[in-house]
Amino acid sequence: MELYCSLSNVVPEHPVLSPVSGCVFERRLIEKFINETGNDPVSSQPLTVEQLIDIKTSPIVRPRPPSATSIPAILKLLQDEWDAEMLHSFTLRQQLQTARQELSHALYQHDTACRVIARLTKEVTAAREALATLKSQAGYVQPAAAAPAVSAAPVEGTMVADEAMDEGVVGPTEMTEEIIERLQQTASKLTADRKKRGKKPPEGLASIEEISTYRPTSTHPGLHSASMPGILCMDLNERMGRVVTGGADKNVVVFERDTEQIVCTLKGHTKKVTSVVYHTDKNVVFSASPDSTIRMWTVADNRCSHIIKAHDGPVTGLSLQATGDYLLSCSSDQHWAFSDINTGRVLSKITDPSINDELTCAQFHPDGLLFGTGSKDSIVKIWDLKEKANVANFPGHSGSITDIAFSENGYFLATAADDSTVKLWDLRKLENFRTIQLEGRYEVKSLSFDATGNYLAVGGTDIRLYHCKKTWNQLAAFDEHTAPVTGVAFGKNASYVVSASMDRHLKFYTSQ
């Protein structure tokens, strides 16, 4: 007697009996049905797998299908299987090609959209700056031409205020007697304070032995874009422990040492940023660029508060005056300018017949009444700010001046040029008393005295630290950067050194 499954109507391989309906089922089919419904498929009454009763029958041997009973038939089956596999493979290749084409089209659309967004963003920024310029010029009164002094050019610089600034900001457009009196009072106070401190090093100043043990302790890459690599300039605010850098990517970045985090990224220049200054007392940053502008940034709210247009060519140097209210700038247009940072107005713009080449750098004397400029014709000039006159010249270099730095003691001036030398000058005797000749084709990009005038840092091909005494001994050297060092500075009490480089890295050095 043959049994038939009530579900498939086929002879079951493992027959079971349902006690609920009395029907025979194939075990795998009835178990699947019970798991899905929980009922008997015939009577629709509740049924569980445990209730099923196995039926013992003789094993069933299924006959081979007629198509597999001969070698030609088996070969035919294999051929059919091969053809099916080839068709399936061809279909998959077609689907892959279609997916590749769709992906390529999507990537092209994404790239086009990014380009359009970048162009629109640039146009919006340019439109905003043009609007701000028109607003400021609408209320600008052209100052009367000043009588020429030392070939002084009329004050042509203008200020572009941020949209958030008051449009009613006013101020002097030339150096008044009140400004000169304030500069003189500040210089007298600083000189008196320096004499009071004397030559004794302040408490907490790092010793020669400690500086000799300085090693790199932290490195911070990625402050600026990798597509246009390079940090071109750097400045340090000792009091806040913050570093500002300017890069080839046109951005200004403020970095905090304690948190090791970027505070803000300031965008607005249309060309690379070549000079930056961090205000000593305010959370304000200044930046200059070959786009002929000087920007004043308020770090707290991440905005540009002033755009000072004092020059007709690339701005090559910046320096903050001792009062904290005025900024010195120099340019390849052979002029230096003196500007009021509170109003954004240019108070003086001066050149000299003896200037035969581009100005490359500028730095205020610690007292703020004198300042120095360097130029491509290898000459360092000392200027009297009150008289707007060139009072001394320091020839001796044989290449373009790359940087100058005044010591806090007010007596020494360090200068560097493309001739691989650092020269030390005595401002009292107006003479070069020491020359540090650096080996090979050493590039000097940055000079910096610490706040006490006891140590000098030289940055370029590598970093070298010197003790500012009679022998001017070298205390340490660091060559961890993989590209020229463009900025170096001492932290408070020379407790650390910070450097920036064309390799996009910001490094801190301390004793371990």
Side-chain angles (χ1 to χ4, degrees):
M1 181 181 69
E2 292 185 348
L3 301 176
Y4 292 91
C5 174
S6 298
L7 288 175
S8 63
N9 203 30
V10 176
V11 177
E13 294 182 4
H14 301 91
V16 292
L17 177 68
S18 169
V20 175
S21 62
C23 295
V24 176
F25 300 96
E26 173 67 55
R27 173 175 282 279
R28 60 182 177 80
L29 297 178
I30 187 64
E31 285 182 353
K32 182 183 293 186
F33 189 87
I34 292 173
N35 289 335
E36 292 178 357
T37 64
N39 298 325
D40 185 278
V42 176
S43 65
S44 299
Q45 294 181 5
L47 179 65
T48 62
V49 174
E50 290 76 12
Q51 291 179 284
L52 298 176
I53 301 171
D54 287 323
I55 300 176
K56 294 184 179 181
T57 59
S58 300
I60 298 174
V61 178
R62 294 180 178 274
R64 292 184 177 181
S67 59
T69 55
S70 65
I71 292 177
I74 293 174
L75 292 176
K76 177 69 168 55
L77 286 175
L78 294 176
Q79 183 66 47
D80 291 343
E81 286 292 329
W82 173 260
D83 292 344
E85 287 296 326
M86 291 300 100
L87 288 173
H88 181 64
S89 176
F90 176 74
T91 304
L92 290 179
R93 286 198 300 270
Q94 281 187 322
Q95 293 175 350
L96 176 60
Q97 182 66 22
T98 303
R100 283 178 174 174
Q101 290 177 348
E102 291 176 352
L103 177 60
S104 175
H105 183 65
L107 289 175
Y108 176 77
Q109 288 181 324
H110 178 269
D111 183 65
T112 304
C114 289
R115 291 175 182 272
V116 171
I117 292 171
R119 179 175 57 81
L120 292 176
T121 302
K122 185 176 181 180
E123 290 177 356
V124 168
T125 301
R128 285 178 176 171
E129 291 186 357
L131 178 61
T133 303
L134 291 174
K135 283 183 177 180
S136 66
Q137 290 178 348
Y140 176 70
V141 179
Q142 180 68 28
V150 198
S151 300
V155 180
E156 299 173 350
T158 60
M159 176 272 288
V160 180
D162 188 89
E163 295 170 346
M165 293 291 292
D166 296 333
E167 294 188 15
V169 174
V170 295
T173 57
E174 60 182 8
M175 286 184 64
T176 62
E177 291 297 328
E178 291 79 6
I179 293 176
I180 294 175
E181 178 64 23
R182 187 177 176 207
L183 298 178
Q184 184 63 59
Q185 290 177 358
T186 302
S188 300
K189 182 178 181 301
L190 291 173
T191 302
D193 291 344
R194 185 182 300 112
K195 290 181 179 179
K196 190 182 298 183
R197 289 195 301 267
K199 296 183 179 180
K200 185 179 179 181
E203 293 184 6
L205 180 66
S207 65
I208 298 174
E209 292 75 17
E210 289 175 325
I211 290 182
S212 300
T213 63
Y214 280 6
R215 295 293 181 270
T217 53
S218 63
T219 300
H220 306 280
L223 271 67
H224 291 268
S225 172
S227 60
M228 301 179 69
I231 299 177
L232 303 179
C233 50
M234 183 203 77
D235 193 30
L236 170 68
N237 184 309
E238 295 181 18
R239 184 175 61 84
M240 296 182 183
R242 288 183 173 182
V243 179
V244 58
T245 60
D249 59 359
K250 311 173 190 176
N251 295 336
V252 177
V253 176
V254 178
F255 181 87
E256 186 162 0
R257 177 175 179 256
D258 293 338
T259 61
E260 297 188 343
Q261 297 293 326
I262 293 176
V263 177
C264 63
T265 299
L266 307 170
K267 300 182 179 182
H269 282 292
T270 58
K271 294 184 179 180
K272 60 186 178 181
V273 179
T274 53
S275 185
V276 290
V277 171
Y278 211 126
H279 199 290
T280 52
D281 302 316
K282 301 177 183 178
N283 200 13
V284 171
V285 166
F286 306 92
S287 62
S289 166
D291 63 11
S292 305
T293 65
I294 302 165
R295 289 178 178 261
M296 176 177 170
W297 308 88
T298 305
V299 177
D301 51 10
N302 193 12
R303 71 184 178 95
C304 178
S305 54
H306 290 320
I307 301 177
I308 303 173
K309 295 187 176 180
H311 298 282
D312 300 324
V315 184
T316 55
L318 294 177
S319 183
L320 186 67
Q321 208 271 340
T323 59
D325 291 327
Y326 305 101
L327 188 70
L328 171 69
S329 60
C330 68
S331 168
S332 61
D333 64 6
Q334 301 182 8
H335 287 74
W336 59 262
F338 184 69
S339 306
D340 187 332
I341 67 172
N342 297 309
T343 64
R345 293 189 181 277
V346 181
L347 305 181
S348 295
K349 183 179 178 182
I350 306 296
T351 188
D352 186 276
S354 63
I355 299 177
N356 300 317
D357 214 329
E358 301 176 6
L359 297 181
T360 57
C361 53
Q363 183 70 41
F364 265 115
H365 184 274
D367 292 343
L369 291 181
L370 299 176
F371 65 89
T373 60
S375 59
K376 280 194 172 182
D377 60 2
S378 310
I379 302 296
V380 177
K381 292 179 177 290
I382 306 299
W383 300 80
D384 186 315
L385 180 59
K386 294 190 301 180
E387 302 297 330
K388 305 175 187 176
N390 176 210
V391 295
N393 293 328
F394 292 143
H397 284 290
S398 58
S400 175
I401 306 298
T402 55
D403 199 13
I404 62 175
F406 287 95
S407 172
E408 174 59 27
N409 64 18
Y411 303 145
F412 298 150
L413 170 67
T415 63
D418 285 338
D419 56 4
S420 302
T421 63
V422 176
K423 290 183 178 291
L424 286 308
W425 308 84
D426 190 324
L427 298 177
R428 297 164 294 184
K429 302 177 181 179
L430 300 180
E431 65 180 16
N432 171 222
F433 67 89
R434 180 170 291 275
T435 297
I436 301 175
Q437 182 65 54
L438 301 166
E439 68 279 357
R441 298 176 124 190
Y442 193 100
E443 296 182 73
V444 186
K445 299 292 186 182
S446 177
L447 298 173
S448 178
F449 286 95
D450 77 301
T452 66
N454 281 273
Y455 303 110
L456 172 66
V458 177
T461 303
D462 57 17
I463 301 171
R464 303 188 184 189
L465 306 182
Y466 294 88
H467 186 214
C468 303
K469 292 299 179 184
K470 291 183 179 180
T471 57
W472 291 81
N473 291 332
Q474 180 178 310
L475 303 179
F478 313 114
D479 59 359
E480 283 74 19
H481 283 292
T482 57
V485 176
T486 53
V488 62
F490 286 96
K492 185 177 181 180
N493 289 329
S495 57
Y496 64 90
V497 174
V498 59
S499 66
S501 166
M502 289 298 293
D503 63 8
R504 294 195 309 123
H505 287 69
L506 186 71
K507 292 180 179 289
F508 290 90
Y509 307 82
T510 59
S511 57
Q512 295 179 335

